[in-house]
Amino acid sequence: MTLYERLMAGLFDQPLVDLKAAFAPLPSLQSLGLSKQEVFDIVDSQLTSRLLDVHSRELQAAGESFYTIGSAGHENNAAIAAAFRPNDMAFLHYRSGAFFIQRQRQKPGSTPVHDMLLSFAASADDPISSGRHKVLGSFDHYVPPQTSTIGSHLPKAMGMAYSIGLAKRINHRGQVPNDSVVLCSFGDASANHSTTQGAINAACWAAYQSVPVPAVLVCEDNGIGISTATPHRWIESSFGHRPGMDYISCDGRNLLDVYRASKEAERVARRLRKPVFLHMRCVRLYGHAGSDAEMTYLSKEQIAHNEAQDPLRFSLALLAHLGIADQASMRQHTEQLYQRILAVGRKAIAQPKLADAAEVMAHIAPERPEQPIPPAATGETRARLFGHEKHNLGKPQTLNKLLNWALLDLMHQYPHLVMAGEDIGKKGGVYGVTNRLVNSFGPNRVINTLLDEQSILGLGIGMAHNGFLPMPEIQFLAYVHNAEDQIRGEAATLQFFSSGQYSNPMVIRIAGLAYQKGFGGHFHNDNSFTVFRDLPGVVLVCPSNGASGAKLLREAVRLAEEQKRVVVFLEPIALYNTKDLHTPGDNGWMRDYPEPTERIAFGEVSTEGQGTDLAIVSYGNGFYLSCQAQKQLAEQGIQSRVVDLNWLHPLPMESLLQAIAPCEKVLIVDECRKTGSLSEELITRLQEAGDSTQKVQRLTADDSFIPLAKAAYHVLPSVESIVEKAKQL
């Protein structure tokens, strides 16, 4: 018996479910505000979803479908979709296929069967991902595509929900109306993931303080995660009494009960602007995916019990109970629907696939039109903005001070630029970079967050979905590893999996790198940023002094705003307050504040000196040390130039090759570890560039974590080691 035949037998060759025995008295359609036609449409969405799941597995067997996690057993999430507006943004779990189909019904002219089959077949004509992944997503239907198999989409859903109230407070015209709510669906197994827990905690934390977070968190609880059972009543016990969040449950077999609960959740979220946990108890059918043999971990009795709870059986019985359609007419309707799906499927698998690497990569970082840069503050406005700094203006300053001034200018230029992070408000950040920004722009644009990096980055991603230009801050480089998948798996991939239709531009400021006196441990004195360097489309930039810091930060904001890029702006902590270069009191590392129009272009290096004996290539702290070494080398007759890379990913190879061309020898000074560091890529790229006359070597940190106090300098490059290596070279 085929899966389709098994389905039809289960739905139509058995007596109708006794709804009175299964459920408490059913509410009237009038009390729910539902018409008979609307009920039929929801059931039709359920049947469409199930038949698509069936055909997906048929196509997989024929080698034409490649991702078969389906929605079987969860189909009453179609009733959830029916309860909300079509422009309430929805971040959907992979078992929310019926929701997606019902959402498309709300816009005339939509073709959900065609679109989803193109996705199943990995066709280049797939309207959301162009065949890059089987995802539920549509720009026109306010469904950003999710590739998450756990809960990594929850932080950005919470960020999007938070941004709706923020848009209203600062008069920002967002992508959705100010009374919108956000939906986010996930499974009971995903509810245990730290990302899910953190996101829900962040929503409750904000709501507890009466901050609007109009989000409906839909937990589709089928009682099992692949093969591991969820403890009885675990979800209810875990989420039923969270402060700041309402809990509403419903029976996922019962269309009317799911609709009732959804309308109540919608009322609370939309009117009270509170988060709601909507717990839909359902059943999983057909195993986890096409390759999953559920009989290896479930008994025949358990499988039979689950099939008896099939929500489609209850929905068909409801149609008969309400006098909408009988079994015979629904059998005919289902057979016709299946034949239509088969016909569309035959066309879908014949559609073109992605043809080459260029097509695959077309939307990693698509080129976008140039935009005029907003004018900087002038006259009285500028005088007010910098009034607290009038005694410092015109004088050379340190890195942290000039970054602070650049932020003052940028936040004035871009009214939708919003900063978020731990202690960035009144405290001004741990190192003073955000000092007094909250005084000028208020707590809605300089947001003190809770201590959770996943939620900080998710807030940024969510705000970007609503047209903001976010600048989240991670307090220390090592802290980002708690949340790196928000960058890797969410922010970096959105344009790729939406064919450029969605983007989440942002500048992520991270304080890091080593050489901090008195600090130790890999959490506060970390010299590893390898995690950012293999992310297609993500830009990594690192300044070394105040002037480059201001110029690069302006360019980073331009890249985010104009080109919709995700930019990681890595700030060397040890150089924040560095004043001197060669001798105490020389103020050699202080810089004048560049004019607001000055930037260092994307892919452009900076050079100190014009010597041709040797080119020293570095960045951050290494550039500072190399400038010190440059003087000592000159005293010994070695004339060098020191090149500051500025851009660490992608590497600025064209500009770099021009800068080092006059030199016969090149020394790469890399303050990060020998293994997995930037210098590995850089030395390879220089060799590939093909100049066999240049001799290239590198000096790196040791493969060690950073210890406390002066012991740190045993494993890091020093001025002395740079001079010695240069002389050897």
Side-chain angles (χ1 to χ4, degrees), residues 29 46-47 139 197 284 422 450 469 490 504 518 525 598:
L29 296 188
Q46 295 175 338
L47 288 167
F139 185 81
Q197 295 282 339
R284 189 190 75 189
E422 301 163 23
L450 76 173
L469 179 56
E490 295 294 341
N504 31 227
N525 212 2
E598 293 184 50

Side-chain angles (χ1 to χ4, degrees), residues 51-74:
L51 292 171
L52 282 169
D53 282 351
V54 169
H55 193 43
S56 176
R57 294 181 181 228
E58 293 169 340
L59 290 173
Q60 183 195 41
E64 299 288 357
S65 179
F66 310 97
Y67 194 89
T68 54
I69 296 180
S71 306
H74 291 229

Side-chain angles (χ1 to χ4, degrees), residues 24 54 88 103 124 178 263 367 457 468 521 570 589 621 663 714:
V54 169
D88 287 330
R103 168 62 65 92
N178 285 342
K263 290 305 291 184
E367 190 76 20
L457 293 172
F468 286 97
L570 181 59
W589 211 244
N621 294 291
C663 304
H714 296 321

Side-chain angles (χ1 to χ4, degrees), residues 6-26:
R6 177 177 152 197
L7 170 65
M8 296 299 287
L11 295 182
F12 299 109
D13 293 345
Q14 299 184 42
L16 280 173
V17 172
D18 184 348
L19 295 181
K20 291 183 179 180
F23 307 132
L26 293 171

Side-chain angles (χ1 to χ4, degrees), residues 220-404:
E220 300 181 16
D221 177 9
N222 61 31
I224 195 167
I226 305 183
S227 67
T228 303
T230 298
H232 181 60
R233 299 191 67 183
W234 172 247
I235 296 300
E236 178 184 352
S237 300
S238 296
F239 299 100
H241 303 284
R242 292 288 183 96
M245 181 173 72
D246 280 23
Y247 170 87
I248 300 171
S249 66
C250 57
D251 188 334
R253 302 172 302 169
N254 185 342
L255 185 157
L256 298 184
D257 192 46
V258 174
Y259 187 82
R260 169 205 59 81
S262 300
K263 290 305 291 184
E264 176 63 14
E266 190 255 1
R267 183 192 68 80
V268 172
R270 197 177 309 281
R271 296 184 185 178
L272 303 182
R273 317 307 287 167
K274 289 180 61 178
V276 181
F277 192 96
L278 179 57
H279 180 194
M280 185 177 81
R281 301 182 304 279
C282 52
V283 63
R284 189 190 75 189
L285 303 174
Y286 305 165
H288 176 70
S291 59
D292 178 41
E294 59 181 342
M295 67 283 300
T296 61
Y297 53 85
L298 293 179
S299 67
K300 291 182 179 179
E301 291 75 19
Q302 288 173 309
I303 294 172
H305 172 79
N306 289 342
E307 291 183 346
Q309 309 308 311
D310 188 337
L312 297 188
R313 296 187 64 216
F314 293 87
S315 292
L316 292 171
L318 180 66
L319 293 181
H321 172 77
L322 295 173
I324 298 173
D326 59 22
Q327 281 285 81
S329 63
M330 287 309 298
R331 176 189 282 271
Q332 183 180 20
H333 176 81
T334 304
E335 290 171 345
Q336 291 172 344
L337 180 56
Y338 179 61
Q339 291 303 315
R340 176 176 162 240
I341 287 172
L342 291 178
V344 176
R346 285 191 290 271
K347 293 182 178 180
I349 62 176
Q351 297 306 302
K353 306 295 193 291
L354 291 166
D356 52 35
E359 287 192 10
V360 170
M361 299 168 63
H363 294 106
I364 289 175
E367 190 76 20
R368 298 176 187 270
E370 291 186 7
Q371 298 177 8
I373 294 174
T378 57
E380 292 184 5
T381 301
R382 189 170 190 81
R384 285 195 302 271
L385 193 63
F386 285 85
H388 62 287
E389 292 285 10
K390 58 184 177 182
H391 61 291
N392 285 321
L393 293 175
K395 301 175 185 177
Q397 302 294 332
T398 56
L399 171 62
N400 63 345
K401 177 67 75 174
L402 293 190
L403 287 174
N404 177 258

Side-chain angles (χ1 to χ4, degrees), residues 89-94 96-97 99-101 103-104 110-112 114-116 118-120 125-130 133-147 465 494 497-499 501-502:
M89 193 167 281
F91 298 82
L92 296 181
H93 184 238
Y94 47 36
S96 298
F99 180 111
F100 186 60
I101 294 165
R103 168 62 65 92
Q104 293 210 43
S110 299
T111 55
H114 178 254
D115 296 352
M116 292 178 73
L118 288 172
S119 178
F120 293 179
D125 292 337
D126 165 24
I128 185 62
S129 78
S130 299
H133 198 11
K134 181 228 173 189
V135 290
L136 301 174
S138 168
F139 185 81
D140 291 340
H141 298 94
Y142 295 84
V143 182
Q146 309 310 311
T147 61
H465 271 295
L494 185 60
F497 287 120
S498 69
S499 306
Q501 296 171 79
Y502 281 101

Side-chain angles (χ1 to χ4, degrees), residues 628-683:
Q628 292 179 320
Q630 182 182 40
K631 181 175 183 293
Q632 295 186 26
L633 290 169
E635 293 169 351
Q636 300 179 49
I638 300 173
Q639 304 305 316
S640 65
R641 62 182 61 191
V642 184
V643 181
D644 192 348
L645 288 169
N646 296 322
W647 306 95
L648 308 187
H649 179 68
L651 284 171
M653 292 307 300
E654 183 177 350
S655 179
L656 174 62
L657 290 171
Q658 291 177 358
I660 66 174
C663 304
E664 294 182 2
K665 298 178 177 63
V666 179
L667 175 61
I668 301 166
V669 176
D670 191 341
E671 62 182 281
C672 294
R673 301 165 195 162
K674 185 175 183 178
T675 302
S677 66
L678 177 148
S679 61
E680 286 185 329
E681 178 189 359
L682 188 54
I683 203 166

